[in-house]
Amino acid sequence: MLNEEHEALRQSVRDFAREVVAPVIAEHYEHHTFPYDVVRQMGKMGLFGLPFPEEHGGMGGDYFALCLTLEELARVDSSVAITLEAAISLGAMPIYRFGTDEQKAHWLPKLTSGEALAAFGLTEPGFGSDAGGTQTRAVLDGDEWVINGSKAFITNSGTDITALVTVTAVTGVAPDGSKELSTIIVPSGTPGFTVQPGYSKVGWCASDTHELTFEDCRVPAANLLGERGRGFAQFLRILDEGRIAIAALAVGLAQGCVDESVKYAKERHAFGKAIGDFQAIQFKIADMETRAHTARLAYYDAAERMLAGQDFKRQAAIAKLYASESAVTNAREATQVHGGYGFMNEFPVARFWRDSKVLEIGEGTSEVQRMIIARDLGL
Ligand SMILES: Cc1cc2nc3c(=O)[nH]c(=O)nc-3n(C[C@H](O)[C@H](O)[C@H](O)COP(=O)(O)OP(=O)(O)OC[C@H]3O[C@@H](n4cnc5c(N)ncnc54)[C@H](O)[C@@H]3O)c2cc1C
């Protein structure tokens, strides 16, 4: 499963998270600013290129390498982790998997180096889970697509280094009468493409999230990603993979809760003892560790199946479901271990608590994961 290279990577990302991310992230979080300097250093370390081949500027690593990195980053901070997750899984991966040689040659070197970020626009203000509800339309006019519509909650879509967003749009009617969905690359700055002001969010406050609007936005016909009409199949594949990455990120948060709780339980005293001497606190922390460990095994299993070319849809959904719910529970329990200080933003567990909830929502809600698992069981 994990080899020496993976362990070395894990250690170097752990050091980076503690030495570079931890000292600055609370400030970014409080002021809702994007950590450009941290992202630049992650780019230098090659993290944005981890799972891509060297011919595209990548590091030639595998999906485990990405997952371990996300886990270690989220153990300290989730805004930085989701920035990397979205940049790779949702940003560069669709181009790598479905793009033409020209699209790959044009975009991937910038994306895999971290010099630029890409975003993925599937969700719209009126739908999320029900992706068939897409309203954004793209009409072919000569050799250009004309796009009209809007997208909601799009990560990495409005930073100074965002180079493009891939959007799903209705491009016609499929042979069975359903909507024909396709995916189109829209470079940042294209006339008619507007990035709305950032949302005020409960968590992930140092990550970048915007609503996007498209008004008669014209891009070349050659910006179609992969085949016309394959949009649905493309995002299903992207989301299946992305769920393993989100599970890894959730494990990191769940483990960060354990780290902070063990530390605090040894330092904090009540009734003449360290609170870690009370069995009630010990059991809480033991349960937190059990959840983090079990969730880790679930994502390892899903990643291993994916890398072996086996079907991994159910395992990815299980990992995402279990890891995100474990993260929420661990964050709640870690806050409890910290008492009143756990409710103060200066303590990392407060950030973990605020960052945990979205894990049960993004890249498929917990209900959607249960639907996928049940469907895979033949129900
Ligand atoms: C911070 C943040 C970043 C995001 N980044 C991106 C991004 O980069 N790109 C992108 O495309 N999207 C992004 N999203 C969107 C995210 O993927 C959606 O929010 C998510 O898929 C849920 O969609 P929704 O919000 O429309 O909820 P809805 O689909 O409206 O769901 C509302 C509730 O109804 C439940 N529900 C819906 N259908 C069913 C059903 N059939 N059975 C049972 N329950 C059901 C849901 O589980 C949920 O509890 C992001 C969201 C957030 C909050």
Side-chain angles (χ1 to χ4, degrees):
M1 211 184 303
L2 299 190
N3 56 33
E4 270 179 32
E5 270 180 41
H6 288 131
E7 286 304 343
L9 175 72
R10 185 197 278 285
Q11 193 54 52
S12 70
V13 178
R14 183 175 297 179
D15 294 344
F16 174 80
R18 287 183 185 162
E19 290 160 20
V20 178
V21 180
V24 299
I25 203 62
E27 183 84 6
H28 283 294
Y29 203 85
E30 191 181 342
H31 297 105
H32 294 237
T33 50
F34 189 75
Y36 287 102
D37 190 48
V38 171
V39 167
R40 192 179 49 73
Q41 294 190 57
M42 284 159 63
K44 273 193 177 164
M45 285 172 77
L47 301 187
F48 288 90
L50 274 174
F52 301 105
E54 289 168 18
E55 60 176 299
H56 297 303
M59 299 287 280
D62 58 19
Y63 215 71
F64 265 122
L66 170 63
C67 289
L68 294 175
T69 299
L70 293 171
E71 186 187 329
E72 289 304 326
L73 289 174
R75 204 165 162 173
V76 169
D77 177 66
S78 290
S79 295
V80 167
I82 192 61
T83 298
L84 182 69
E85 194 277 338
I88 292 180
S89 290
L90 302 177
M93 197 57 93
I95 294 176
Y96 172 63
R97 289 233 179 273
F98 313 121
T100 60
D101 288 345
E102 290 75 23
Q103 288 167 344
K104 288 183 201 176
H106 182 70
W107 295 111
L108 286 179
K110 301 186 234 279
L111 301 178
T112 55
S113 66
E115 179 195 322
L117 297 174
F120 183 69
L122 171 65
T123 308
E124 297 190 0
F127 85 89
S129 310
D130 179 14
T134 300
Q135 299 291 321
T136 297
R137 303 195 82 81
V139 176
L140 205 50
D141 179 25
D143 58 0
E144 288 181 326
W145 290 104
V146 185
I147 307 171
N148 280 285
S150 53
K151 296 287 171 183
F153 313 133
I154 308 306
T155 305
N156 288 342
S157 59
T159 72
D160 295 349
I161 55 171
T162 301
L164 72 118
V165 54
T166 44
V167 294
T168 48
V170 180
T171 48
V173 182
D176 66 357
S178 63
K179 287 175 179 170
E180 178 194 83
L181 284 186
S182 305
T183 315
I184 299 171
I185 297 173
V186 182
S188 299
T190 304
F193 167 27
T194 308
V195 178
Q196 301 297 339
Y199 293 94
S200 167
K201 292 174 294 192
V202 170
W204 285 359
C205 295
S207 98
D208 179 79
T209 324
H210 299 266
E211 182 172 340
L212 310 177
T213 49
F214 302 89
E215 287 172 323
D216 291 332
C217 171
R218 289 177 172 269
V219 296
N223 282 21
L224 181 73
L225 188 68
E227 279 174 57
R228 181 172 176 164
R230 295 287 297 160
F232 208 80
Q234 288 172 347
F235 72 69
L236 287 183
R237 168 72 202 206
I238 290 302
L239 292 179
D240 279 341
E241 267 180 37
R243 281 175 189 137
I244 306 176
I246 292 286
L249 195 157
V251 167
L253 189 149
Q255 194 67 53
C257 291
V258 177
D259 299 342
E260 294 299 323
S261 297
V262 168
K263 200 164 60 178
Y264 192 77
K266 287 180 178 166
E267 287 165 2
R268 179 73 176 174
H269 283 71
F271 300 95
K273 294 177 176 182
I275 60 168
D277 289 339
F278 298 124
Q279 201 178 49
I281 298 290
Q282 291 173 0
F283 280 15
K284 255 189 215 310
I285 298 175
D287 286 348
M288 285 161 58
E289 172 67 11
T290 303
R291 277 182 221 105
H293 180 73
T294 312
R296 183 177 298 111
L297 296 182
Y299 96 66
Y300 278 14
D301 175 51
E304 199 166 46
R305 291 180 70 94
M306 180 186 129
L307 290 173
Q310 297 167 349
D311 187 23
F312 65 95
K313 198 178 190 64
R314 186 197 313 178
Q315 289 74 16
I318 290 171
K320 201 278 184 177
L321 174 64
Y322 186 74
S324 59
E325 295 196 344
S326 296
V328 171
T329 307
N330 277 15
R332 192 185 65 238
E333 292 291 67
T335 302
Q336 194 67 18
V337 167
H338 281 67
Y341 289 106
F343 202 60
M344 298 299 126
N345 278 326
E346 68 189 273
F347 279 76
V349 288
R351 198 157 22 89
F352 292 158
W353 193 37
R354 291 170 61 181
D355 289 341
S356 62
K357 183 59 202 170
V358 69
L359 297 168
E360 294 181 326
I361 296 170
E363 297 204 31
T365 63
S366 290
E367 291 75 17
V368 166
Q369 305 313 319
R370 289 187 166 90
M371 281 159 56
I372 292 169
I373 297 162
R375 208 176 287 151
D376 202 60
L377 291 170
L379 297 170

